[in-house]
Every structure is written in C-alpha cells, then in structure tokens.
Amino acid sequence: MSDRAGRPDRLRVAVAAPLSEENRARVQELEPRVDLVVDPSLLPPMRWPADFAGDPDWRRTDAQQRAYEAAIDSADALYGIPDVDPGALARAVRANPGLRWVHTMAAGGGAQVRAAGLTDTELQRVLFTTSAGVHGRPLAEFAVFGVLAGAKDLPRLNRQQRDHTWSGRWTMGQVHRQTVLLLGLGGIGRKVAEALHALGATVIGTSRRDADVSGVTTGVPGVTTVVHPDRIADVAPTVDAVVNTLPGTDATEHLVGKRFLDALRPGATLVNVGRGTVVDEAALLDALDSGQVGFAALDVFETEPLPVDSPLWDHDRVLVSPHTAALDGAEDRLIAELFAANATRLLDGHDLVNRVDTVEFY
C-alpha cells in the first residue's frame, strides 16, 4: 500500500478499463512497484482491439457495480476512465480523496476530463494523462493515404471505374511537388510531417508557441516553416493539401472554416485525423460543392456517429472513415507500456508525459 501523505513506494492501480492478462503482466514487468487491482469479470468484453468501452449490451449486476466502485475508490491511480463515462469519472474523483492520477485511453482524453465537470480544486489534486503518441504512426499513414488519394484524384478514378469509362489519360498530382499545411505539431503531427517529408512534400506546420517572427524554424523534422494558427488563411493560397491533427478545444473549434477554405488553392485536399470540431462541416460542404476543396478524407466528424442524413455520406468528393484510422492491433500493448512508463515517473517523483492541460483540456 502507498503512503498517501508523501511520495509512495508503491502504486495501487485500479484497472477501470479492459486490460488483457498479457498486458497486465507487461505493466508489472516494466514497473514492479505497481499493484494492479483487477477483476476481469467486472470489465466489459472487448469487441476489437482498443475497444475500451466494450460491448454496449453488457451490464454489471448491482453487486458487481459495488465491487467495481469499491476497487476504484481504494486506488491511488486509475487505468482508464471508468466505463469511459465522464460522470463515472466525477464520482470516482469525489469518492476517493486519495486518488492521485487517472490515465485515459484516448489521445484526446482531455475532452472526457472536461466533460466530468470537476472543480478547480479537484483538477489540481488529480493528475490526468492521455495516450497521445500511441496513435501517431497509424494516423500518419491515413494522412498520407488521404493526401495521395487527393493528388491522384481518387473520386475520378472511382467514378470512372463505376461507370466503366476508359477516359483519355490525364496528369495526376505529384505529392513530391506539393505543399501541405499541417495543423498541429504534437505527437501525431510530427509523425505526419516525417511521413510527408519522406515523400518529398514541403510541409508548413502550425504552432501557438514555436513560430518565430519570420515563421521559419528547423526545430521540427520535416517541417520547413511554422506559422501561428491565426495566420493559416494567409498561407492557404500556397498549399495543395491540409492535414488536421489538432485536438478539439475552444481555440480550435471551426479553425478550418469559411474564411480559410475560401482562401485555399482551388482543388486542395483536406484530411482530418484530429477532432471533427476543428472543421466547420457546413463550410466544407460548400467548398466541396464549388470544387474549392477537391477531395476530403475524414476520419472524424463534428457529430459521431455521423448522422445517417449527413450529406457527407453521399458526396463523391468525400471519403468517410468511421473514426477507425488510429486502430492498430498493437494499441493495447502500447498504451499499457506508456502507462507503465508514467507510473515509473510518478513513483520516482518526475513529471508525467501527456499531462492534460486543465485549462484548454487537451
């Protein structure tokens, strides 16, 4: 047991989200000072890798729910937000004054923390971390796929194949001659920059902190220029594609809106692997209809699941991906390893990685 009055020599962790026996062993191999409190019968069965919410039809009995909450209330830390439910997170924080740390499974776990409606005192007492970075390579691959699909005019190829039309040849776009605006230079954005740079693209990044007066930086591999997000409409006429990796915050909501889309080079590609709220979908539809945006590869949306009556479903310039681009068979293991590394940092008195900003909640 830990000494909650000072730095603990052990960490009692309630496993609040599905965690396989193999990955439990991996956590304890990497950090033997962790004591996992886990009863698999109290956790929903996963339908696929990283399905931390589990089967929606599964239910605990009243006795199981009491046992689940008792384990959570006895812990120094939580592996996962209970039932991926902000309300359950709020209950856990308030019922357990010894709770010090909650690790969220999502890269964008800050939104779940925000939805819990915790007080400033509660937010200061408990550390929150996310799984950001675990999804970087899968999302970078989807981003490259989207940029390539736009450059090669996937909508036209699909249309001609569907109609059995063998047209004359046409000149396709070449990614190695394109300029891509990358919104966000966090863990995902840096992987995207690396992948696009490897294809020869010129990458412009955005950052609220790293852009200097001239806008030129060499601090991010693969990125030639960094601009402040307030300036993206200024560079929009120079770019062939836009990739969003930004989280959903008040500052990023509808950053990709009418003003920016109107300023784009006609026919530009848009790829969204960040959060759906960054893109104003009404403005995007207008830009798609006019041809201002030639192709959009979207893995995230303002409302999820995407409503059945959304025009995005049937737009021939849009590829709809049901928020699945990040899913990787190795994700569960990578999150467990990230958690173990942070547990070591906590036990040794070091700052945790992927801390949630409890002002902007990302």
Side-chain angles (χ1 to χ4, degrees):
M1 294 293 289
S2 64
D3 173 10
R4 288 178 173 174
R7 193 174 76 186
D9 55 4
R10 299 194 67 81
L11 191 69
R12 183 178 174 87
V13 177
V15 178
L19 181 66
S20 71
E21 182 177 354
E22 178 182 3
N23 286 326
R24 294 198 298 272
R26 182 66 175 148
V27 169
Q28 298 199 287
E29 174 190 1
L30 292 171
E31 181 42 80
R33 294 173 292 176
V34 163
D35 298 315
L36 294 177
V37 180
V38 58
D39 181 345
S41 71
L42 302 180
L43 300 170
M46 299 172 78
R47 296 160 293 174
W48 48 72
D51 180 28
F52 299 111
D55 183 348
D57 295 328
W58 182 85
R59 296 288 185 277
R60 296 185 191 91
T61 65
D62 289 345
Q64 286 177 321
Q65 185 64 31
R66 288 193 295 272
Y68 180 66
E69 292 180 357
I72 288 168
D73 296 349
S74 73
D76 305 306
L78 301 183
Y79 184 87
I81 290 178
D83 297 325
V84 199
D85 177 2
L89 173 61
R91 189 216 68 81
V93 170
R94 288 162 186 163
N96 182 358
L99 185 64
R100 304 174 57 213
W101 171 35
V102 176
H103 181 76
T104 72
M105 302 293 100
Q112 297 167 331
V113 176
R114 179 177 190 170
L118 300 172
T119 66
D120 289 343
T121 300
E122 290 164 342
L123 291 171
Q124 291 169 7
R125 171 169 63 87
V126 181
L127 302 174
F128 298 93
T129 57
T130 75
S131 296
V134 165
H135 314 90
R137 286 196 180 278
L139 290 177
E141 288 196 10
F142 186 89
V144 169
F145 164 65
V147 171
L148 282 167
K152 307 308 177 186
D153 205 346
L154 180 62
R156 180 175 179 177
L157 291 170
N158 281 337
R159 186 168 57 250
Q160 291 191 180
Q161 181 174 348
R162 182 192 64 218
D163 297 340
H164 298 189
T165 299
W166 185 275
S167 70
R169 301 171 71 191
W170 76 88
T171 301
M172 287 187 169
Q174 304 298 316
V175 173
H176 70 274
R177 295 198 188 103
Q178 291 194 342
T179 297
V180 181
L181 176 62
L182 176 55
L183 304 179
L185 292 176
I188 295 168
R190 288 170 182 254
K191 292 295 184 185
V192 174
E194 178 185 335
L196 290 171
H197 177 71
L199 291 175
T202 299
V203 180
I204 300 172
T206 65
S207 173
R208 294 185 181 278
R209 293 182 294 271
D210 297 334
D212 61 26
V213 174
S214 66
V216 177
T217 183
T218 57
V220 183
V223 177
T224 59
T225 306
V226 173
V227 299
H228 193 279
D230 291 347
R231 289 193 53 227
I232 60 172
D234 297 338
V235 299
T238 71
V239 304
D240 304 283
V242 182
V243 176
N244 174 55
T245 70
L246 289 168
T249 69
D250 290 342
T252 65
E253 184 169 0
H254 287 186
L255 181 67
V256 177
K258 178 176 170 54
R259 177 171 174 264
F260 171 75
L261 294 169
D262 285 350
L264 274 177
R265 179 176 291 172
T269 296
L270 174 66
V271 183
N272 194 0
V273 293
R275 280 295 176 265
T277 54
V278 177
V279 176
D280 181 341
E281 289 178 4
L284 173 59
L285 281 163
D286 287 343
L288 287 160
D289 288 341
S290 71
Q292 189 72 12
V293 172
F295 176 69
L298 308 175
D299 184 56
V300 290
F301 301 87
E302 290 192 83
T303 300
E304 295 185 5
L306 184 64
V308 294
D309 59 351
S310 170
L312 292 170
W313 280 112
D314 299 312
H315 204 293
D316 67 359
R317 295 178 185 269
V318 175
L319 177 67
V320 172
S321 170
H323 205 144
T324 196
L327 192 59
D328 172 18
E331 183 173 339
D332 296 2
R333 174 180 58 79
L334 293 172
I335 292 175
E337 290 174 351
L338 172 62
F339 177 83
N342 255 344
T344 297
R345 296 181 72 87
L346 184 67
L347 285 160
D348 291 343
H350 300 307
D351 290 339
L352 304 188
V353 299
N354 292 350
R355 282 276 304 274
V356 171
D357 179 324
T358 54
V359 176
E360 294 196 34
F361 291 95
Y362 68 87

